[in-house]
Amino acid sequence: MLAGRAFGFAVSLATVAGITVFYRHARDVNQTTIALTFLLAILAVSAVWGMAVSVFMSVVAVLTINYFFLPPVGTFTIADPQNWVALLAFLVTSIMGSQLSARIRKEADEAHQRRREIERLYRFSQKLLAEGNVIQLMNAIPNYIVESFEGGAAELFLPQKDKFYRSGFGAAHLDEEKMKSVFLRDEAIFESQEGLYFIPVRMGVRPIASLGISGSRLSRQTLDAVGSLVAIAIERARAVEKLGETEAERQGERLKSALLDSIAHDFRTPLTSIKAATTSLLGEQTPAREQTRELLTIINEECDRLNRLVEEAAEMSRLEAGEFELNLAPTPIGDIIEAALAQCNTALGGRSVIVNLSPNLPRVRADLDRIKDALVHLIDNANIYSPKDAPITISADLVGETVTVSVADRGPGIDDFEQGMIFDKFYRGKDQRYLVRGTGMGLPIAKAIITAHKGTISVTSQLGHGSVFSFTLPVDRNAGDTR
């Protein structure tokens, strides 16, 4: 600072000397031109080096004009009283012009500084908004302060956990007692000479934390803005976390309700049939042979149904826990579809099934038994939701590095809102859950199997026109032949 000002004094003297030499050798130059030239030079110097240098240059310029350009030349005597007025007017004008120029320069510097601080605050706020986890946010805030404001160190004190979150090489030198004191007293501490700032982090009028920053020159307004942004970010992260917990609880309640609904509906129906058949058998003294056989057949079928429900629940648990192994091998898509249709033959009855396979489909890398089970669930789903006389269409096409298998039905369709939930456990369509048998486990099981094969499953549907369930399987590039 002092070196820069000394250089300014030297430049002002050199400028005055240069103007004097130039006009001493010039001819027919009036005193007004000389004075205006000095005035312009003074204004230029004041814009660069400030008020002190310009006042010094103004005084030197007045003396120079008096000595070299006003009669009697070569002395500091002023013969004409009008020259006193001229010199005084020149001095006042140069000083006032310098003051205005210095003020404009100062305001421009302050505006530039405010713009830079606003840009830094904007970058800082963008970084804060990117964090949603409270713990990650606490650890990241000091780093963001150091990066955004080019500080040497930053530290955050969170009284709820009595914990300090640090960043920067000098963080260990920040006084933790001062940070605690700032929070307890709710008063900021500024040590501008050392570049240390300790500020409370307020949410409204209530302090929730405190910040320590070192190695950066920041205005009071910027520090207040930093504290406000940190408080908002902390409360936002807590709100997001709380919302996540609430949503998890809501999903848990929804799953519980779906499970209870499934148990109440799908277990009660076979149990009621078994109970009714057993009561009839026990109530008859000598039941007819055909009646007995019919009742026992009902009991047998409903027991199989209960057994299937339990097996599906157990299968879903094993899939979620990863307690199964895939015997992956190059497998023709045709073999998978044939095996699935053979298993569904009894359930399909006389329903028409249309199979469309693109020619020369490559083999896929899959476990035949597992992927067949997934396709069986999709075919069974299409069968129970489609009208009895409506066909089911199964197709397969090569798309990039995967083979896409689709099962299309002519059912009632799925609402857009429900399409994102039908692959959840126990979920069944709100309009179909009491009209069609099922547990809501088939699609989740199919999804888990396909995901294990590194494939994807999706659905497209239109109300009143049916649905198309599609899944992908990766092509086995090691297999040479196609089918």
Side-chain angles (χ1 to χ4, degrees):
M1 185 70 177
L2 293 176
R5 182 166 292 181
F7 181 72
F9 285 122
V11 170
S12 65
L13 287 175
T15 302
V16 171
I19 294 172
T20 302
V21 171
F22 176 78
Y23 281 122
R24 286 285 291 176
H25 293 82
R27 295 182 179 181
D28 300 328
V29 179
N30 59 41
Q31 297 169 354
T32 303
T33 302
I34 297 171
L36 289 175
T37 303
F38 276 112
L39 183 60
L40 288 175
I42 292 169
L43 293 177
V45 167
S46 68
V48 178
W49 283 284
M51 187 68 180
V53 175
S54 65
V55 170
F56 169 76
M57 186 176 178
S58 298
V59 174
V60 173
V62 167
L63 296 175
T64 302
I65 292 172
N66 183 19
Y67 189 84
F68 290 102
F69 301 103
L70 292 180
V73 175
T75 67
F76 289 105
T77 303
I78 299 176
D80 189 350
Q82 292 184 1
N83 289 336
W84 283 104
V85 177
L87 288 176
L88 181 61
F90 173 83
L91 182 61
V92 172
T93 301
S94 63
I95 292 176
M96 290 182 64
S98 299
Q99 185 180 17
L100 292 174
S101 178
R103 181 184 298 175
I104 292 172
R105 176 175 175 268
K106 181 180 179 182
E107 290 177 353
D109 291 341
E110 290 176 351
H112 179 67
Q113 180 67 22
R114 284 195 297 269
R115 182 180 62 81
R116 288 189 59 196
E117 291 184 352
I118 290 173
E119 290 175 351
R120 290 175 174 180
L121 285 170
Y122 175 75
R123 290 196 299 268
F124 181 58
S125 65
Q126 292 295 102
K127 292 179 180 179
L128 291 180
L129 290 175
E131 293 290 346
N133 182 275
V134 175
I135 301 300
Q136 293 179 354
L137 177 66
M138 298 305 173
N139 288 300
I141 284 174
N143 291 322
Y144 291 160
I145 292 175
V146 171
E147 293 172 5
S148 300
F149 299 98
E150 301 174 359
E155 191 168 341
L156 174 67
F157 171 60
L158 200 64
Q160 290 182 340
K161 298 183 178 181
D162 194 24
K163 187 175 181 180
F164 291 87
Y165 300 89
R166 301 179 177 87
S167 176
F169 298 108
H173 300 295
L174 293 176
D175 194 332
E176 295 181 355
E177 293 301 322
K178 284 187 178 179
M179 294 190 64
K180 291 182 178 180
S181 174
V182 163
F183 169 75
L184 294 173
R185 298 170 57 187
D186 193 17
E187 293 181 0
I189 299 176
F190 299 98
E191 298 177 4
S192 301
Q193 298 298 326
E194 292 79 15
L196 291 173
Y197 308 94
F198 301 92
I199 59 173
V201 177
R202 301 185 185 93
M203 193 62 197
V205 296
R206 176 177 59 91
I208 61 173
S210 62
L211 271 176
I213 305 173
S214 69
S216 181
R217 300 288 180 179
L218 301 174
S219 66
R220 177 64 180 266
Q221 293 80 5
T222 299
L223 291 169
D224 290 340
V226 169
S228 298
L229 287 173
V230 170
I232 292 171
I234 292 174
E235 290 301 310
R236 173 184 170 276
R238 287 174 177 171
V240 170
E241 194 172 68
K242 185 67 176 177
L243 181 62
E245 294 175 356
T246 303
E247 180 64 17
E249 291 177 1
R250 191 183 70 81
Q251 292 290 344
E253 289 298 325
R254 186 174 67 84
L255 182 60
K256 186 190 300 182
S257 298
L259 178 59
L260 292 175
D261 179 69
S262 177
I263 292 174
H265 182 263
D266 296 296
F267 279 71
R268 181 184 296 170
T269 301
L271 287 174
T272 300
S273 300
I274 293 171
K275 178 65 175 178
T278 305
T279 302
S280 297
L281 287 172
L282 292 175
E284 295 287 342
Q285 295 296 329
T286 55
R289 184 179 182 85
E290 291 183 1
Q291 183 182 6
T292 301
R293 184 176 181 81
E294 182 181 354
L295 293 174
L296 289 175
T297 300
I298 292 174
I299 293 173
N300 183 60
E301 290 176 350
E302 297 301 334
C303 285
D304 288 342
R305 184 176 174 185
L306 283 174
N307 187 53
R308 186 170 63 254
L309 296 176
V310 174
E311 285 180 353
E312 286 182 352
E315 177 74 2
M316 191 70 233
S317 298
R318 287 194 296 270
L319 290 171
E320 286 187 332
E323 297 175 354
F324 69 99
E325 292 184 2
L326 295 177
N327 297 317
L328 299 176
T331 308
I333 285 293
D335 290 359
I336 298 173
I337 295 175
E338 288 176 7
L341 289 175
Q343 183 169 328
C344 296
N345 186 53
T346 302
L348 289 171
R351 185 188 295 276
S352 173
V353 178
I354 303 171
V355 179
N356 296 321
L357 301 183
S358 296
N360 300 321
L361 282 175
R363 296 187 180 191
V364 295
R365 187 164 181 79
D367 183 323
L368 177 59
D369 291 333
R370 288 288 185 181
I371 205 64
K372 175 207 67 176
D373 291 340
L375 183 55
V376 164
H377 283 296
L378 296 183
I379 295 172
D380 184 59
N381 187 75
N383 183 46
I384 63 177
Y385 283 101
S386 295
K388 293 183 179 180
D389 57 345
I392 295 174
T393 302
I394 302 174
S395 59
D397 302 283
L398 179 63
V399 181
E401 296 296 317
T402 63
V403 172
T404 300
V405 181
S406 301
V407 179
D409 62 51
R410 304 290 179 83
I414 305 169
D415 186 85
D416 292 342
F417 173 75
E418 291 189 299
Q419 290 182 23
M421 299 185 289
I422 58 174
F423 294 104
D424 294 346
K425 293 183 296 184
F426 304 110
Y427 185 83
R428 301 182 65 204
K430 63 180 185 299
D431 297 327
Q432 303 294 324
R433 63 184 63 180
Y434 298 113
L435 301 177
V436 180
R437 64 176 178 83
T439 61
M441 293 291 288
L443 292 179
I445 290 174
K447 180 181 179 181
I449 294 173
I450 293 166
T451 301
H453 281 77
K454 301 186 184 306
T456 60
I457 186 170
S458 61
V459 61
T460 56
S461 183
Q462 185 177 1
L463 289 176
H465 294 82
S467 306
V468 179
F469 286 85
S470 304
F471 66 89
T472 62
L473 292 173
V475 171
D476 191 298
R477 289 304 180 186
N478 296 322
D481 60 331
T482 60
R483 279 185 58 182

